[in-house]
Amino acid sequence: VSSPARHAAIVTTLRSAGCVFAEDEAALLIDAATSPADLDEMVARRASGLPLEQVLGWAEFCGLRIMIAPGVFVPRRRTELLVREAAALAGPGAAVLDLCCGSGAVGAAIAATIAGIELYAVDIDPACAECARDNIAVFGEVFEGDLYEPLPATLRGRLDVITANAPYVPSEEIRNMPPEARDHEPRVALDGGADGLDVQRRIAEAAQHWLAPGGHLLIETAKLQQSLTANAMTSNGLRATTVRLEETDATVVIGSLS
Ligand SMILES: C[S@@+](CC[C@H](N)C(=O)[O-])C[C@H]1O[C@@H](n2cnc3c(N)ncnc32)[C@H](O)[C@@H]1O
């Protein structure tokens, strides 16, 4: 759907809109478009600031192609550390819960790494729950609701691993985020309250009722908030350790139940 001249014009449009990787993005948009009109529309949406992944309808995460519906949080590279640590703790057949699942990327990647896990995922946003169903229906079950609230009581005390990349940006800092996130990802996906810990604390408070003996809760957090996240775990009966990967600026706190 594109000539070399059209390709060059798209690169210029994207570059003037502030896209740093304009060449790569142009190639992806040209590849994805089904007609010249479709391409024009995609370029216009991207130039208006919509995240590339929401325009394409997919994101790459842990080597998988994850479908991204409009308004659904785009999985970040830093979250691959959460998957790596969770997969290291989840043996075959483990029962795994991904809270605040968004597109379902974390659960899908764990299930793709460890065969035969029993996977559950929850998100409060109906658009995310639906998107996660598209991405993980083959691996497990998605519930819509507030944290543990929609889960069947039969899962209490049975989960080997709980993962959460919950919202953790302090409310006052959302305005300093890149426009792609600030303007195009829902506030419920980002806002962690005054100190960023509102949702993480609620996750840690109830974890001991849902984890199996020896089970683990893994929460992605910010470097500056890691001690607050660890405190939320230790004050709720979990032993906390922190894993840090500088390369992607990723921090995961792991709380383990004895
Ligand atoms: C930072 S995004 C992460 C999404 C996904 N885990 C990922 O890494 O791509 C946080 C997600 O938490 C969801 N969320 C926020 N509050 C929630 C709550 N109380 N219960 C369940 N999900 C919630 C949002 O809808 C959003 O999809």
Side-chain angles (χ1 to χ4, degrees):
V1 296
S2 171
S3 64
R6 181 80 185 99
H7 181 278
I10 292 172
V11 172
T12 306
T13 305
L14 295 178
R15 201 162 277 145
S16 359
C19 303
V20 181
F21 302 106
E23 289 274 354
D24 296 342
E25 294 199 5
L28 285 165
L29 293 172
I30 289 166
D31 195 43
T34 52
S35 66
D38 188 33
L39 180 58
D40 286 346
E41 200 187 313
M42 290 173 101
V43 172
R45 290 169 74 211
R46 177 62 185 131
S48 78
L50 213 66
L52 175 70
E53 294 83 352
Q54 287 186 2
V55 177
L56 291 171
W58 58 270
E60 196 194 313
F61 182 72
C62 289
L64 301 175
R65 193 175 268 215
I66 302 291
M67 282 176 268
I68 303 294
V72 171
F73 183 89
V74 176
R76 309 295 205 264
R77 254 210 79 206
R78 75 162 57 87
T79 304
E80 296 188 354
L81 179 66
L82 181 64
V83 171
R84 189 184 86 186
E85 294 301 315
L89 294 167
V96 176
L97 167 66
D98 182 30
L99 286 174
C100 300
C101 68
S103 62
V106 171
I110 298 170
T113 312
I114 308 287
I117 63 164
E118 201 182 308
L119 177 63
Y120 306 93
V122 177
D123 202 285
I124 201 163
D125 179 341
C128 290
E130 198 180 323
C131 181
R133 276 187 198 107
D134 287 341
N135 283 310
I136 70 169
V138 288
F139 302 119
E141 205 172 340
V142 180
F143 299 90
E144 182 188 318
D146 182 17
L147 301 184
Y148 304 93
E149 178 270 325
L151 293 172
T154 47
L155 287 181
R156 279 182 165 256
R158 271 205 57 221
L159 297 166
D160 299 299
V161 170
I162 301 174
T163 54
N165 177 21
Y168 60 81
V169 183
S171 308
E172 282 301 307
E173 282 177 28
I174 290 181
R175 60 166 174 243
N176 302 326
M177 294 184 80
E180 282 180 9
R182 190 187 61 210
D183 301 336
H184 297 283
E185 289 180 318
R187 199 162 173 109
V188 68
L190 307 173
D191 194 343
D195 66 356
L197 266 283
D198 281 6
V199 186
Q200 292 186 357
R201 273 195 203 97
R202 291 175 54 223
I203 291 172
E205 267 163 27
Q208 58 193 312
H209 305 301
W210 294 90
L211 285 172
H216 308 278
L217 166 66
L218 297 90
I219 298 186
E220 174 179 315
T221 195
K223 187 178 182 181
L224 286 174
Q225 292 163 207
Q226 66 185 51
S227 59
L228 294 176
T229 306
N231 284 345
M233 302 233 188
T234 49
S235 48
N236 286 289
L238 305 173
R239 272 174 294 111
T241 49
T242 300
V243 184
R244 169 90 191 144
L245 186 61
E246 291 298 331
E247 190 193 334
T248 54
D249 187 23
T251 307
V252 171
V253 181
I254 305 175
S256 305
L257 193 62
S258 297

